[in-house]
Amino acid sequence: MTKNTQVIDFSMRKQPVQQRSKALVAALLDATARLLVTIGYIAITTNKVAEKAGVGIGSLYEYFPNKESLVAALIERNSMEIVKKIQLGMEQALQKPHEDALRFWLEKMVNALDERRDEVRVVIFEVPFLRQMPLLETMPKTLMNVAFSAHKRANDRVQFTYPKAAVYHLTSMVSAAIINMVVHPPQHIPRKILLDELTELILRAMEGASLGNPGIS
Amino acid sequence: MTKNTQVIDFSMRKQPVQQRSKALVAALLDATARLLVTIGYIAITTNKVAEKAGVGIGSLYEYFPNKESLVAALIERNSMEIVKKIQLGMEQALQKPHEDALRFWLEKMVNALDERRDEVRVVIFEVPFLRQMPLLETMPKTLMNVAFSAHKRANDRVQFTYPKAAVYHLTSMVSAAIINMVVHPPQHIPRKILLDELTELILRAMEGASLGNPGIS
DNA sequence: TCATAACCCGAGTAATTATTCGGATATACT
DNA sequence: AGTATATCCGAATAATTACTCGGGTTATGA
């Protein structure tokens, strides 16, 4: 009845306009990223970030009201880059013949995430307010819309009993599989095989019939 | 080079032996659970937990060295209950005819998680050290072993190009799908349909051929 | 070149949260 | 009944972390 899950202030206090201040903010975000992967989210403090960035603590508070906004800004900056790459990969994939498209796109996504492996891991598993961020809240819905329209386009090939439910599950399953194979890869299984098998699983789930094995053996 | 991702002390300081102290510890864990779902993990403090439990702060520190150990103990206690139910469901499922077993087991798991919906959500998405807990670290591996031996038993029906990779992916995908449909269910889709479609997707992924539609329409 | 605005800073303080410790009470045991 | 042990407690203190504020520096642009 009292105050529930308090709302967090993610917004920056002001935007940097000159070059030096932009560089300062960038330095802060870079330091945040490095600290995230080295000491983990819990141990991060505003003072440590400022020190690591070689910046006065006062300067930090010129732009960020707290630790959360700092991490949030970093996530926004870097996940945007990843999202762009994934969208680009999608566009390229759509140019390919249908039986190669999925595998191609999966690989693009995995590679995009893999470039920031550690960061992705910490952000996904340690940042407690991730789901409260506007960006991350809408992301699954966007993904689902993309998946759903893709499904409609492929309507002649793919038929589900309950299309919306199928798209919903496929979205969460594919996201999970990809993130998992990047941040918690199994021992002794080459990535190529993981990608081949994942492609096969998804294609079978979607079409009910294998497209054949693109790999060896 | 300095100290990395600090190791967290999860262990209790001492075990309660008398009834009253056991009740006290239980009260602390219950209070922790209630606070987790009402104010979220970040906002929890040892003092708030003690107060909510109607217990002196000193008593709390008799048994728990810090906030993390408190939450960890709660997770251990409650996830054990869930795991038991899931294992029971698995045993029951294995009694069923093959084409009903999966659907049955999925439903059991979903129901087990759903009883503690909010708790599960907060624990999975807000507890930053979840992956550092011994229990949660081994859980995916256990799940994979179960899945793998189940696969071997069904060897005549299910064939994968790369069995280990397939089991690895299926494990992460099914876990994700189940957790997701409990903590972030889509609007306007009844649970029955979600379960039907998920069953169908997984069966197709595993067998390459639909077992037919168990639902209506 | 001078005024104005943007920027940078860190010692010092406020606010929060963690944690102890000595003393009081309850239970177990002989 | 008496002693040892387990338990409970919370005011007081320590430790951590957040955050401000006044004063100095650098860019802008009229």
Side-chain angles (χ1 to χ4, degrees):
Chain A
M1 289 310 147
T2 52
K3 66 160 170 261
N4 238 16
T5 30
Q6 76 291 321
V7 172
I8 302 170
D9 183 13
F10 292 130
S11 56
M12 292 180 65
R13 286 205 162 140
K14 65 180 184 190
Q15 292 294 325
V17 323
Q18 299 178 358
Q19 311 74 348
R20 52 180 177 153
S21 52
K22 281 180 186 167
L24 184 144
V25 167
L28 284 172
L29 295 187
D30 291 340
T32 304
R34 261 177 297 143
L35 283 174
L36 264 185
V37 303
T38 52
I39 67 175
Y41 174 81
I42 317 175
I44 285 193
T45 69
T46 46
N47 290 295
K48 284 184 193 166
V49 171
E51 186 193 343
K52 193 84 171 185
V55 160
I57 179 64
S59 305
L60 186 153
Y61 278 96
E62 293 278 323
Y63 300 97
F64 300 97
N66 50 43
K67 155 177 166 179
E68 285 76 25
S69 66
L70 210 43
V71 176
L74 172 71
I75 293 175
E76 203 114 350
R77 186 185 76 172
N78 288 6
S79 68
M80 271 311 174
E81 287 180 20
I82 293 179
V83 166
K84 272 185 210 151
K85 285 185 187 168
I86 289 179
Q87 282 178 333
L88 180 64
M90 165 78 110
E91 288 163 20
Q92 294 175 309
L94 290 178
Q95 313 284 32
K96 303 244 166 194
H98 142 255
E99 63 273 16
D100 299 336
L102 179 63
R103 162 70 202 237
F104 179 87
W105 190 40
L106 289 177
E107 190 161 351
K108 285 289 178 192
M109 284 197 281
V110 167
N111 289 340
L113 291 172
D114 201 50
E115 284 172 19
R116 298 181 183 281
R117 215 192 101 108
D118 293 332
E119 223 175 287
V120 168
R121 193 195 64 242
V122 175
V123 166
I124 290 184
F125 293 112
E126 292 187 22
V127 175
F129 58 82
L130 192 61
R131 298 277 160 166
Q132 294 170 55
M133 287 185 58
L135 172 69
L136 270 287
E137 205 170 290
T138 60
M139 207 132 99
K141 288 184 185 170
T142 310
L143 239 178
M144 258 196 58
N145 285 334
V146 172
F148 197 69
S149 60
H151 166 251
K152 275 201 285 203
R153 236 179 299 139
N155 216 8
D156 50 331
R157 279 180 285 101
V158 184
Q159 278 292 359
F160 297 116
T161 312
Y162 309 107
K164 285 187 186 173
V167 169
Y168 168 80
H169 284 312
L170 283 170
T171 305
S172 74
M173 291 196 294
V174 172
S175 314
I178 287 172
I179 288 170
N180 196 47
M181 70 178 274
V182 168
V183 303
H184 297 123
Q187 302 288 321
H188 311 307
I189 309 185
R191 167 157 300 177
K192 177 188 178 310
I193 288 185
L194 285 174
L195 277 170
D196 285 346
E197 187 60 54
L198 181 58
T199 308
E200 218 178 306
L201 284 169
I202 297 171
L203 282 180
R204 279 211 301 258
M206 289 200 307
E207 315 208 9
S210 173
L211 287 181
N213 164 22
I216 27 102
S217 151
Chain B
M1 289 309 147
T2 51
K3 66 161 169 259
N4 238 16
T5 28
Q6 77 290 322
V7 172
I8 302 170
D9 182 13
F10 291 131
S11 56
M12 292 180 65
R13 286 206 163 140
K14 65 180 183 191
Q15 292 294 326
V17 323
Q18 299 178 358
Q19 312 75 348
R20 52 179 177 151
S21 52
K22 280 180 187 168
L24 184 144
V25 166
L28 284 173
L29 295 187
D30 291 341
T32 304
R34 262 178 296 143
L35 283 173
L36 264 185
V37 303
T38 52
I39 67 175
Y41 174 81
I42 317 175
I44 285 193
T45 70
T46 46
N47 291 292
K48 285 183 193 167
V49 171
E51 186 193 343
K52 193 84 171 186
V55 160
I57 179 63
S59 306
L60 186 154
Y61 278 95
E62 293 278 324
Y63 300 96
F64 300 98
N66 51 43
K67 155 178 166 178
E68 285 76 25
S69 66
L70 210 42
V71 175
L74 172 72
I75 294 175
E76 203 113 352
R77 186 185 76 172
N78 289 6
S79 68
M80 271 312 173
E81 287 181 21
I82 292 178
V83 166
K84 271 185 211 154
K85 285 186 187 167
I86 289 178
Q87 282 178 331
L88 179 64
M90 165 78 109
E91 288 163 21
Q92 294 176 308
L94 290 178
Q95 313 284 33
K96 304 244 165 193
H98 142 255
E99 63 273 15
D100 299 336
L102 179 63
R103 162 70 203 237
F104 179 87
W105 190 39
L106 289 177
E107 189 161 351
K108 285 288 177 192
M109 284 197 282
V110 167
N111 289 340
L113 291 172
D114 201 49
E115 283 171 19
R116 298 182 182 279
R117 217 192 99 108
D118 294 332
E119 223 175 286
V120 168
R121 192 194 66 241
V122 174
V123 165
I124 290 184
F125 293 111
E126 291 186 23
V127 176
F129 57 83
L130 192 62
R131 298 277 160 167
Q132 295 170 54
M133 287 185 58
L135 172 69
L136 270 287
E137 205 169 291
T138 59
M139 207 132 98
K141 288 182 183 169
T142 310
L143 240 178
M144 257 195 56
N145 286 335
V146 171
F148 197 69
S149 59
H151 165 251
K152 275 202 284 203
R153 237 179 299 139
N155 215 9
D156 50 332
R157 278 179 285 103
V158 184
Q159 279 292 358
F160 297 116
T161 313
Y162 309 107
K164 285 186 185 175
V167 168
Y168 169 81
H169 284 312
L170 283 170
T171 304
S172 75
M173 290 196 293
V174 172
S175 314
I178 287 172
I179 288 170
N180 196 47
M181 72 178 274
V182 168
V183 303
H184 297 124
Q187 302 288 321
H188 311 307
I189 309 185
R191 167 158 300 175
K192 178 189 178 309
I193 289 185
L194 285 174
L195 278 170
D196 285 346
E197 187 60 54
L198 181 58
T199 308
E200 217 177 307
L201 284 169
I202 298 169
L203 282 180
R204 279 212 300 258
M206 290 199 308
E207 314 208 8
S210 172
L211 286 182
N213 165 22
I216 28 102
S217 147

